[in-house]
């Protein structure tokens, strides 16, 4: 398989490794991007521990908490341009959708789009279609999370005016610590709540990569297993919320923070606007030339 410059560029962006090392890794793995990332990690050349999601879609992440009914909802609604996302009209649309979700608790996206929207006599899907016609851009409700938290404590945090949203439910605690944990989730981007949630396949894969990395460092086989166990603890600290160092006080883990407030984390959700969506790159000059022709 021919290794293209764009493949090398993507691998470099995802790992932080040098251009020549990226080309060598892609050549060795016959263009397999995930295998090339592992190759670089095993050689100790990758500066990024985790794959970065490509973030390109515009829109807003919003959170609405209905304190009377003890329900919180977080939603991501995408549009095509940042210009539209920054308008009051768009913000009001997204806020009305997050409020509707909290009040009606739909089971999934299909159920949401078929629910009657307030007293309009129209369903949510029709309201979005009308907004598309009025605003002139594609608008899509991408995903949502609903927490009916009852006697628990809810924490919420929106970063950069709707670019990142985090929602966390705690057993015990208070509003202040819940907000701190939500802010931490937005910044630290944990993948799992605790170690029990890490899939065995992911753990086994990480151990294989770490073992090969240690061999390439020239470590003897008899101490590799012990080294891997030590590095796995660091791996847990990177991906598990309760094991992470609290961003506002790195000397304290999230577990210690929560314990100090008689609280326990039950679940969380984090949305980063457009993660995983690859937006078509526009060539404005070419578009104008095409239009003129």
């Amino acid at each position: 398989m021919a290794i293209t410059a764009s493949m090398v560029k993507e691998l470099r962006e995802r790992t932080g490794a040098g251009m020549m090392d990226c080309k060598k890794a892609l050549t060795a793995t016959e263009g397999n991007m995930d295998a090339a990332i592992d190759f670089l990690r095993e050689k100790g050349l990758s500066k990024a521990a985790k794959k970065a999601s490509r973030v390109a879609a515009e829109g807003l992440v919003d959170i609405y908490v209905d304190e009377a009914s003890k329900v919180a909802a977080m939603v991501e609604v995408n549009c095509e341009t940042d210009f539209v996302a920054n308008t009051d009209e768009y913000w009001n649309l997204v806020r009305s959708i997050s409020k509707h979700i909290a009040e009606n608790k739909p089971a999934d996206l299909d159920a949401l789009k078929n629910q009657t929207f307030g007293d309009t006599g129209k369903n949510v899907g029709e309201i979005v279609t009308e907004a598309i016609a009025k605003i002139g851009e594609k608008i899509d409700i991408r995903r949502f999370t609903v927490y009916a938290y009852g006697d628990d404590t809810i924490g919420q945090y929106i970063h950069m005016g709707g670019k990142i949203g985090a929602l966390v439910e705690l057993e015990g605690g208070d509003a202040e610590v819940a907000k701190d944990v939500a802010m931490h989730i937005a910044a630290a981007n944990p993948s799992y709540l605790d170690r029990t949630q890490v899939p065995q396949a992911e753990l086994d894969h990480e151990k294989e990569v770490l073992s090969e990395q240690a061999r390439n460092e020239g470590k003897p086989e008899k101490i590799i297993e012990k080294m891997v166990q030590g590095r796995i603890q660091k791996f847990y600290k990177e991906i598990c919320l309760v094991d992470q160092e609290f961003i506002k006080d790195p000397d304290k883990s999230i577990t210690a923070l929560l314990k100090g407030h008689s609280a326990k984390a039950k679940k969380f959700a984090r949305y980063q606007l457009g993660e995983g969506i690859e937006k078509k790159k526009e060539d404005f000059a070419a578009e104008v030339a095409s239009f003129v022709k």
Side-chain angles (χ1 to χ4, degrees):
M1 179 179 180
I3 307 303
T4 65
S6 62
M7 291 167 67
V8 174
K9 182 174 180 287
E10 181 185 346
L11 183 58
R12 187 171 188 272
E13 288 172 352
R14 291 173 66 173
T15 63
M19 295 290 276
M20 291 306 294
D21 289 325
C22 287
K23 185 176 181 182
K24 187 185 296 182
L26 285 164
T27 301
T29 58
E30 299 180 339
N32 184 309
M33 192 63 65
D34 289 337
I37 290 170
D38 284 345
F39 179 92
L40 289 170
R41 290 189 61 204
E42 289 165 3
K43 299 295 184 186
L45 298 170
S46 173
K47 297 181 178 67
K50 291 189 269 186
K51 300 178 221 174
S53 298
R54 296 189 66 169
V55 180
E58 303 300 339
L60 288 173
V61 175
D62 186 48
I63 297 173
Y64 184 86
V65 179
D66 187 335
E67 295 183 355
S69 60
K70 302 290 186 182
V71 178
M74 178 165 65
V75 65
E76 177 183 352
V77 184
N78 298 125
C79 61
E80 294 180 51
T81 65
D82 195 43
F83 174 79
V84 164
N86 287 325
T87 62
D88 289 340
E89 183 177 15
Y90 188 77
W91 188 89
N92 289 333
L93 171 68
V94 177
R95 171 45 58 102
S96 69
I97 292 171
S98 61
K99 184 172 185 280
H100 172 94
I101 292 168
E103 292 174 346
N104 294 276
K105 300 187 286 294
D108 52 37
L109 281 171
D110 286 337
L112 168 62
K113 291 173 183 177
N114 286 310
Q115 286 180 334
T116 302
F117 190 77
D119 57 4
T120 64
K122 300 167 185 174
N123 63 34
V124 174
E126 290 169 329
I127 293 296
V128 171
T129 300
E130 287 183 357
I132 292 170
K134 186 176 181 183
I135 293 172
E137 283 194 8
K138 179 182 177 182
I139 297 169
D140 181 49
I141 304 173
R142 186 184 181 202
R143 53 183 172 169
F144 68 87
T145 294
V146 181
Y147 288 165
Y149 58 95
D151 294 329
D152 289 334
T153 307
I154 204 75
Q156 60 163 312
Y157 184 74
I158 291 288
H159 184 61
M160 293 176 64
K163 300 295 185 188
I164 298 174
L167 199 58
V168 65
E169 184 177 336
L170 305 180
E171 182 181 310
D174 53 35
E176 185 179 354
V177 72
K179 183 180 179 181
D180 274 347
V181 175
M183 186 187 300
H184 170 93
I185 291 165
N189 191 17
S191 301
Y192 306 101
L193 180 70
D194 57 35
R195 300 181 185 198
T196 65
Q197 293 187 355
V198 181
Q200 189 61 45
E202 183 174 342
L203 190 60
D204 290 343
H205 174 75
E206 186 66 18
K207 286 179 179 178
E208 286 176 15
V209 170
L210 292 173
S211 296
E212 194 59 32
Q213 191 178 75
R215 288 188 190 96
N216 286 328
E217 290 171 2
K219 307 297 182 186
E221 287 293 330
K222 61 182 179 181
I223 69 164
I224 285 178
E225 187 176 347
K226 190 177 290 186
M227 285 182 65
V228 168
Q229 288 305 317
R231 290 177 180 181
I232 281 293
Q233 301 309 308
K234 184 180 178 184
F235 174 66
Y236 281 134
K237 286 184 177 181
E238 290 174 352
I239 66 170
C240 296
L241 171 63
V242 298
D243 288 319
Q244 289 182 330
E245 296 171 348
F246 181 36
I247 54 165
K248 290 171 77 172
D249 183 1
D251 292 330
K252 185 183 295 183
S253 69
I254 293 296
T255 292
L257 171 71
L258 292 172
K259 190 174 181 181
H261 288 80
S262 302
K264 180 182 178 182
K266 290 181 72 174
K267 55 186 175 181
F268 75 90
R270 180 187 186 274
Y271 289 172
Q272 184 161 336
L273 182 66
E275 60 191 342
I277 300 175
E278 185 173 350
K279 188 178 178 184
K280 185 178 75 173
K281 294 176 181 175
E282 302 290 353
D283 185 338
F284 185 67
E287 188 179 333
V288 171
S290 161
F291 179 76
V292 171
K293 285 178 184 176

